[in-house]
Amino acid sequence: MRLFRYQGNNGIDALLPPHPIDRIPESRLDHETFSEQYVRQGKPLIIVRDVTGPWKNVSSALIDNCGHLELSAVPIAAQNVHASFGPRGRRLYHWMLKLTVGINLAEWCAKRERVSFEEVRREAIRNGDDTNVTEKIPRWFRYIAPAFLPRMLELYIRPFYLADLVWDEDHALFCGVPTQRSLAEQRVVAELTARTREKIFKKDENQRYFWMFWGGKDSSLYPLHRDNSNHDVMIDVYEGCKDFVIVHPNERQWLSAIPLEGAQIWSDDFFSSGRPVSMERVWRGMVLPGETLYLPGDSLHEARNRCPNTLSSSTRPWHGADVRADIFPAKFGL
């Protein structure tokens, strides 16, 4: 195996590929295995769902039922970037975008301010130009700029992406988006509900909501980041394919943080460079149609759509960090 050299905040280290994310068919995944080996350990898992029929042609059903609906597709990531700078800093940031990648930020945002689902699908099925995103950023800029700035510029030069659209179960069903939860999720929710421990598990509004993601090949939102929410996440892929890198939170000491207000982001790119030998708990896996990714809520992660017309949704069924800290040190089982 070829080893690479890695220079980060903590010196030079050899690089290895991330570990593959475990993949288990839903019919073979029992409650104790899921709760003890994955939820308790904060370890990701790809669940191959047994029922895929309702997941076929979801994008077509969504267009038939709700294609005319308009919404904002300005990424939350872009909003956080803008909020991190004062007026002078924002002017400098706008100038930097124009100089380095030729993007007028006002026009870029205006294009995404009001779009319909029909427009989103047209953008999602459009193939990119097959140019590596990093190659679109001038080499001179990557040489002189802090490491985090080229990573933030990727947000603006990647393909169009509708991300983090929040809606409830009723609207999802009306538009033709399946809402059937995996058996693994249902069993954990049932166990937590039976315990009736308000501190650990509370039936809050998050359980009724879905977060929708729809984009084309190479579209992405944040670099490596940690969600501000304390909820574990279940991610269903209906069409296309999503490539995930996931890092255990205890590995953060080896990473380079990006100073961005309101977000926890790191500039490290494990898709391109692999993991240092000193970082053991780093995983990578491709989630395909009919599969569900269990993502521990306190983990660091980055997702990239690798196929055209990639449509997925996520739920946040329970407070992950609290569950691992309190319930799972004891035996967890029905």
Side-chain angles (χ1 to χ4, degrees), residues 43-66:
K43 183 180 180 182
L45 173 68
I46 296 173
I47 303 170
V48 182
R49 300 286 292 272
D50 295 332
V51 180
T52 59
W55 287 15
K56 293 183 178 180
N57 302 317
V58 174
S59 64
S60 297
L62 198 158
I63 294 300
D64 291 342
N65 296 318
C66 300

PDB file of all heavy atoms in Angstrom, residues 43-66:
ATOM      1  N   LYS A  43     -20.742   4.584  16.379  1.00  0.00           N
ATOM      2  CA  LYS A  43     -20.122   4.074  15.159  1.00  0.00           C
ATOM      3  C   LYS A  43     -21.137   4.079  14.023  1.00  0.00           C
ATOM      4  O   LYS A  43     -22.257   3.597  14.196  1.00  0.00           O
ATOM      5  CB  LYS A  43     -19.598   2.661  15.395  1.00  0.00           C
ATOM      6  CG  LYS A  43     -18.864   2.045  14.204  1.00  0.00           C
ATOM      7  CD  LYS A  43     -18.373   0.640  14.545  1.00  0.00           C
ATOM      8  CE  LYS A  43     -17.649   0.016  13.360  1.00  0.00           C
ATOM      9  NZ  LYS A  43     -17.200  -1.373  13.665  1.00  0.00           N
ATOM     10  N   PRO A  44     -20.794   4.594  12.843  1.00  0.00           N
ATOM     11  CA  PRO A  44     -21.771   4.656  11.748  1.00  0.00           C
ATOM     12  C   PRO A  44     -22.072   3.280  11.178  1.00  0.00           C
ATOM     13  O   PRO A  44     -21.283   2.341  11.303  1.00  0.00           O
ATOM     14  CB  PRO A  44     -21.083   5.550  10.715  1.00  0.00           C
ATOM     15  CG  PRO A  44     -19.617   5.342  10.964  1.00  0.00           C
ATOM     16  CD  PRO A  44     -19.487   5.174  12.459  1.00  0.00           C
ATOM     17  N   LEU A  45     -23.216   3.175  10.513  1.00  0.00           N
ATOM     18  CA  LEU A  45     -23.637   1.914   9.910  1.00  0.00           C
ATOM     19  C   LEU A  45     -24.526   2.213   8.707  1.00  0.00           C
ATOM     20  O   LEU A  45     -25.384   3.095   8.767  1.00  0.00           O
ATOM     21  CB  LEU A  45     -24.425   1.069  10.921  1.00  0.00           C
ATOM     22  CG  LEU A  45     -25.081  -0.205  10.363  1.00  0.00           C
ATOM     23  CD1 LEU A  45     -24.017  -1.228   9.964  1.00  0.00           C
ATOM     24  CD2 LEU A  45     -26.051  -0.811  11.380  1.00  0.00           C
ATOM     25  N   ILE A  46     -24.322   1.456   7.617  1.00  0.00           N
ATOM     26  CA  ILE A  46     -25.222   1.517   6.461  1.00  0.00           C
ATOM     27  C   ILE A  46     -26.168   0.323   6.551  1.00  0.00           C
ATOM     28  O   ILE A  46     -25.728  -0.823   6.622  1.00  0.00           O
ATOM     29  CB  ILE A  46     -24.444   1.482   5.139  1.00  0.00           C
ATOM     30  CG1 ILE A  46     -23.555   2.731   5.011  1.00  0.00           C
ATOM     31  CG2 ILE A  46     -25.409   1.393   3.953  1.00  0.00           C
ATOM     32  CD1 ILE A  46     -22.629   2.699   3.818  1.00  0.00           C
ATOM     33  N   ILE A  47     -27.464   0.618   6.580  1.00  0.00           N
ATOM     34  CA  ILE A  47     -28.499  -0.418   6.667  1.00  0.00           C
ATOM     35  C   ILE A  47     -29.112  -0.599   5.282  1.00  0.00           C
ATOM     36  O   ILE A  47     -29.645   0.345   4.700  1.00  0.00           O
ATOM     37  CB  ILE A  47     -29.593  -0.031   7.673  1.00  0.00           C
ATOM     38  CG1 ILE A  47     -28.975   0.244   9.056  1.00  0.00           C
ATOM     39  CG2 ILE A  47     -30.657  -1.122   7.769  1.00  0.00           C
ATOM     40  CD1 ILE A  47     -29.951   0.855  10.042  1.00  0.00           C
ATOM     41  N   VAL A  48     -29.033  -1.830   4.744  1.00  0.00           N
ATOM     42  CA  VAL A  48     -29.631  -2.141   3.449  1.00  0.00           C
ATOM     43  C   VAL A  48     -31.091  -2.481   3.701  1.00  0.00           C
ATOM     44  O   VAL A  48     -31.404  -3.533   4.258  1.00  0.00           O
ATOM     45  CB  VAL A  48     -28.902  -3.303   2.759  1.00  0.00           C
ATOM     46  CG1 VAL A  48     -29.517  -3.582   1.390  1.00  0.00           C
ATOM     47  CG2 VAL A  48     -27.413  -2.996   2.620  1.00  0.00           C
ATOM     48  N   ARG A  49     -31.981  -1.577   3.332  1.00  0.00           N
ATOM     49  CA  ARG A  49     -33.397  -1.717   3.658  1.00  0.00           C
ATOM     50  C   ARG A  49     -34.033  -2.868   2.879  1.00  0.00           C
ATOM     51  O   ARG A  49     -33.697  -3.142   1.725  1.00  0.00           O
ATOM     52  CB  ARG A  49     -34.137  -0.416   3.364  1.00  0.00           C
ATOM     53  CG  ARG A  49     -33.623   0.784   4.157  1.00  0.00           C
ATOM     54  CD  ARG A  49     -34.047   0.710   5.610  1.00  0.00           C
ATOM     55  NE  ARG A  49     -35.475   0.883   5.750  1.00  0.00           N
ATOM     56  CZ  ARG A  49     -36.079   2.071   5.874  1.00  0.00           C
ATOM     57  NH1 ARG A  49     -35.358   3.189   5.854  1.00  0.00           N
ATOM     58  NH2 ARG A  49     -37.381   2.155   6.021  1.00  0.00           N
ATOM     59  N   ASP A  50     -35.006  -3.551   3.511  1.00  0.00           N
ATOM     60  CA  ASP A  50     -35.710  -4.665   2.879  1.00  0.00           C
ATOM     61  C   ASP A  50     -36.843  -4.190   1.968  1.00  0.00           C
ATOM     62  O   ASP A  50     -37.217  -4.872   1.033  1.00  0.00           O
ATOM     63  CB  ASP A  50     -36.280  -5.598   3.959  1.00  0.00           C
ATOM     64  CG  ASP A  50     -35.176  -6.261   4.771  1.00  0.00           C
ATOM     65  OD1 ASP A  50     -34.080  -6.448   4.222  1.00  0.00           O
ATOM     66  OD2 ASP A  50     -35.406  -6.569   5.955  1.00  0.00           O
ATOM     67  N   VAL A  51     -37.402  -3.023   2.260  1.00  0.00           N
ATOM     68  CA  VAL A  51     -38.525  -2.500   1.488  1.00  0.00           C
ATOM     69  C   VAL A  51     -38.031  -1.325   0.659  1.00  0.00           C
ATOM     70  O   VAL A  51     -37.806  -0.234   1.172  1.00  0.00           O
ATOM     71  CB  VAL A  51     -39.675  -2.056   2.416  1.00  0.00           C
ATOM     72  CG1 VAL A  51     -40.837  -1.522   1.597  1.00  0.00           C
ATOM     73  CG2 VAL A  51     -40.125  -3.221   3.290  1.00  0.00           C
ATOM     74  N   THR A  52     -37.843  -1.551  -0.631  1.00  0.00           N
ATOM     75  CA  THR A  52     -37.347  -0.484  -1.506  1.00  0.00           C
ATOM     76  C   THR A  52     -38.380  -0.055  -2.537  1.00  0.00           C
ATOM     77  O   THR A  52     -38.200   0.961  -3.198  1.00  0.00           O
ATOM     78  CB  THR A  52     -36.072  -0.939  -2.237  1.00  0.00           C
ATOM     79  OG1 THR A  52     -36.372  -2.104  -3.012  1.00  0.00           O
ATOM     80  CG2 THR A  52     -34.969  -1.246  -1.248  1.00  0.00           C
ATOM     81  N   GLY A  53     -39.473  -0.815  -2.679  1.00  0.00           N
ATOM     82  CA  GLY A  53     -40.489  -0.492  -3.675  1.00  0.00           C
ATOM     83  C   GLY A  53     -40.995   0.934  -3.597  1.00  0.00           C
ATOM     84  O   GLY A  53     -41.011   1.663  -4.601  1.00  0.00           O
ATOM     85  N   PRO A  54     -41.434   1.393  -2.398  1.00  0.00           N
ATOM     86  CA  PRO A  54     -41.953   2.765  -2.297  1.00  0.00           C
ATOM     87  C   PRO A  54     -40.895   3.832  -2.568  1.00  0.00           C
ATOM     88  O   PRO A  54     -41.243   5.001  -2.730  1.00  0.00           O
ATOM     89  CB  PRO A  54     -42.432   2.831  -0.835  1.00  0.00           C
ATOM     90  CG  PRO A  54     -42.615   1.420  -0.406  1.00  0.00           C
ATOM     91  CD  PRO A  54     -41.575   0.651  -1.148  1.00  0.00           C
ATOM     92  N   TRP A  55     -39.621   3.454  -2.602  1.00  0.00           N
ATOM     93  CA  TRP A  55     -38.553   4.431  -2.802  1.00  0.00           C
ATOM     94  C   TRP A  55     -38.213   4.641  -4.276  1.00  0.00           C
ATOM     95  O   TRP A  55     -37.397   5.481  -4.608  1.00  0.00           O
ATOM     96  CB  TRP A  55     -37.292   3.992  -2.062  1.00  0.00           C
ATOM     97  CG  TRP A  55     -37.391   4.149  -0.577  1.00  0.00           C
ATOM     98  CD1 TRP A  55     -38.533   4.359   0.159  1.00  0.00           C
ATOM     99  CD2 TRP A  55     -36.324   4.126   0.358  1.00  0.00           C
ATOM    100  NE1 TRP A  55     -38.229   4.448   1.490  1.00  0.00           N
ATOM    101  CE2 TRP A  55     -36.868   4.310   1.646  1.00  0.00           C
ATOM    102  CE3 TRP A  55     -34.957   3.959   0.241  1.00  0.00           C
ATOM    103  CZ2 TRP A  55     -36.106   4.338   2.795  1.00  0.00           C
ATOM    104  CZ3 TRP A  55     -34.184   3.983   1.395  1.00  0.00           C
ATOM    105  CH2 TRP A  55     -34.760   4.173   2.658  1.00  0.00           C
ATOM    106  N   LYS A  56     -38.830   3.875  -5.170  1.00  0.00           N
ATOM    107  CA  LYS A  56     -38.506   4.009  -6.588  1.00  0.00           C
ATOM    108  C   LYS A  56     -39.215   5.224  -7.187  1.00  0.00           C
ATOM    109  O   LYS A  56     -40.379   5.491  -6.891  1.00  0.00           O
ATOM    110  CB  LYS A  56     -38.916   2.739  -7.340  1.00  0.00           C
ATOM    111  CG  LYS A  56     -38.084   1.509  -6.955  1.00  0.00           C
ATOM    112  CD  LYS A  56     -38.479   0.292  -7.768  1.00  0.00           C
ATOM    113  CE  LYS A  56     -37.611  -0.911  -7.409  1.00  0.00           C
ATOM    114  NZ  LYS A  56     -37.991  -2.117  -8.187  1.00  0.00           N
ATOM    115  N   ASN A  57     -38.487   5.947  -8.024  1.00  0.00           N
ATOM    116  CA  ASN A  57     -39.052   7.095  -8.746  1.00  0.00           C
ATOM    117  C   ASN A  57     -39.633   8.151  -7.819  1.00  0.00           C
ATOM    118  O   ASN A  57     -40.667   8.756  -8.117  1.00  0.00           O
ATOM    119  CB  ASN A  57     -40.118   6.623  -9.733  1.00  0.00           C
ATOM    120  CG  ASN A  57     -39.582   5.611 -10.736  1.00  0.00           C
ATOM    121  OD1 ASN A  57     -38.485   5.784 -11.268  1.00  0.00           O
ATOM    122  ND2 ASN A  57     -40.339   4.556 -10.970  1.00  0.00           N
ATOM    123  N   VAL A  58     -38.973   8.378  -6.676  1.00  0.00           N
ATOM    124  CA  VAL A  58     -39.471   9.371  -5.728  1.00  0.00           C
ATOM    125  C   VAL A  58     -39.409  10.766  -6.334  1.00  0.00           C
ATOM    126  O   VAL A  58     -40.337  11.574  -6.162  1.00  0.00           O
ATOM    127  CB  VAL A  58     -38.661   9.322  -4.413  1.00  0.00           C
ATOM    128  CG1 VAL A  58     -39.085  10.443  -3.473  1.00  0.00           C
ATOM    129  CG2 VAL A  58     -38.853   7.974  -3.730  1.00  0.00           C
ATOM    130  N   SER A  59     -38.348  11.066  -7.074  1.00  0.00           N
ATOM    131  CA  SER A  59     -38.232  12.409  -7.646  1.00  0.00           C
ATOM    132  C   SER A  59     -39.354  12.686  -8.632  1.00  0.00           C
ATOM    133  O   SER A  59     -39.877  13.810  -8.693  1.00  0.00           O
ATOM    134  CB  SER A  59     -36.867  12.590  -8.313  1.00  0.00           C
ATOM    135  OG  SER A  59     -36.709  11.717  -9.409  1.00  0.00           O
ATOM    136  N   SER A  60     -39.766  11.684  -9.414  1.00  0.00           N
ATOM    137  CA  SER A  60     -40.867  11.876 -10.356  1.00  0.00           C
ATOM    138  C   SER A  60     -42.180  12.114  -9.628  1.00  0.00           C
ATOM    139  O   SER A  60     -42.969  12.988 -10.009  1.00  0.00           O
ATOM    140  CB  SER A  60     -40.994  10.659 -11.276  1.00  0.00           C
ATOM    141  OG  SER A  60     -39.837  10.498 -12.077  1.00  0.00           O
ATOM    142  N   ALA A  61     -42.403  11.348  -8.544  1.00  0.00           N
ATOM    143  CA  ALA A  61     -43.627  11.552  -7.760  1.00  0.00           C
ATOM    144  C   ALA A  61     -43.637  12.929  -7.119  1.00  0.00           C
ATOM    145  O   ALA A  61     -44.681  13.607  -7.067  1.00  0.00           O
ATOM    146  CB  ALA A  61     -43.735  10.473  -6.681  1.00  0.00           C
ATOM    147  N   LEU A  62     -42.494  13.373  -6.655  1.00  0.00           N
ATOM    148  CA  LEU A  62     -42.403  14.693  -6.026  1.00  0.00           C
ATOM    149  C   LEU A  62     -42.713  15.790  -7.044  1.00  0.00           C
ATOM    150  O   LEU A  62     -43.429  16.753  -6.738  1.00  0.00           O
ATOM    151  CB  LEU A  62     -41.007  14.871  -5.433  1.00  0.00           C
ATOM    152  CG  LEU A  62     -40.803  15.968  -4.380  1.00  0.00           C
ATOM    153  CD1 LEU A  62     -39.578  15.657  -3.542  1.00  0.00           C
ATOM    154  CD2 LEU A  62     -40.659  17.339  -5.001  1.00  0.00           C
ATOM    155  N   ILE A  63     -42.205  15.644  -8.267  1.00  0.00           N
ATOM    156  CA  ILE A  63     -42.479  16.632  -9.312  1.00  0.00           C
ATOM    157  C   ILE A  63     -43.954  16.613  -9.695  1.00  0.00           C
ATOM    158  O   ILE A  63     -44.585  17.665  -9.876  1.00  0.00           O
ATOM    159  CB  ILE A  63     -41.596  16.378 -10.545  1.00  0.00           C
ATOM    160  CG1 ILE A  63     -40.125  16.618 -10.197  1.00  0.00           C
ATOM    161  CG2 ILE A  63     -42.026  17.265 -11.704  1.00  0.00           C
ATOM    162  CD1 ILE A  63     -39.814  18.022  -9.728  1.00  0.00           C
ATOM    163  N   ASP A  64     -44.531  15.423  -9.830  1.00  0.00           N
ATOM    164  CA  ASP A  64     -45.950  15.323 -10.200  1.00  0.00           C
ATOM    165  C   ASP A  64     -46.846  15.994  -9.174  1.00  0.00           C
ATOM    166  O   ASP A  64     -47.842  16.646  -9.529  1.00  0.00           O
ATOM    167  CB  ASP A  64     -46.352  13.849 -10.343  1.00  0.00           C
ATOM    168  CG  ASP A  64     -45.704  13.186 -11.558  1.00  0.00           C
ATOM    169  OD1 ASP A  64     -45.252  13.924 -12.453  1.00  0.00           O
ATOM    170  OD2 ASP A  64     -45.649  11.951 -11.592  1.00  0.00           O
ATOM    171  N   ASN A  65     -46.513  15.833  -7.896  1.00  0.00           N
ATOM    172  CA  ASN A  65     -47.386  16.344  -6.835  1.00  0.00           C
ATOM    173  C   ASN A  65     -47.059  17.778  -6.417  1.00  0.00           C
ATOM    174  O   ASN A  65     -47.970  18.537  -6.060  1.00  0.00           O
ATOM    175  CB  ASN A  65     -47.297  15.431  -5.601  1.00  0.00           C
ATOM    176  CG  ASN A  65     -47.822  14.038  -5.872  1.00  0.00           C
ATOM    177  OD1 ASN A  65     -48.845  13.865  -6.522  1.00  0.00           O
ATOM    178  ND2 ASN A  65     -47.106  13.033  -5.398  1.00  0.00           N
ATOM    179  N   CYS A  66     -45.773  18.139  -6.432  1.00  0.00           N
ATOM    180  CA  CYS A  66     -45.363  19.424  -5.848  1.00  0.00           C
ATOM    181  C   CYS A  66     -44.324  20.159  -6.684  1.00  0.00           C
ATOM    182  O   CYS A  66     -43.603  21.018  -6.170  1.00  0.00           O
ATOM    183  CB  CYS A  66     -44.799  19.203  -4.438  1.00  0.00           C
ATOM    184  SG  CYS A  66     -45.971  18.461  -3.286  1.00  0.00           S
TER     185      CYS A  66
END
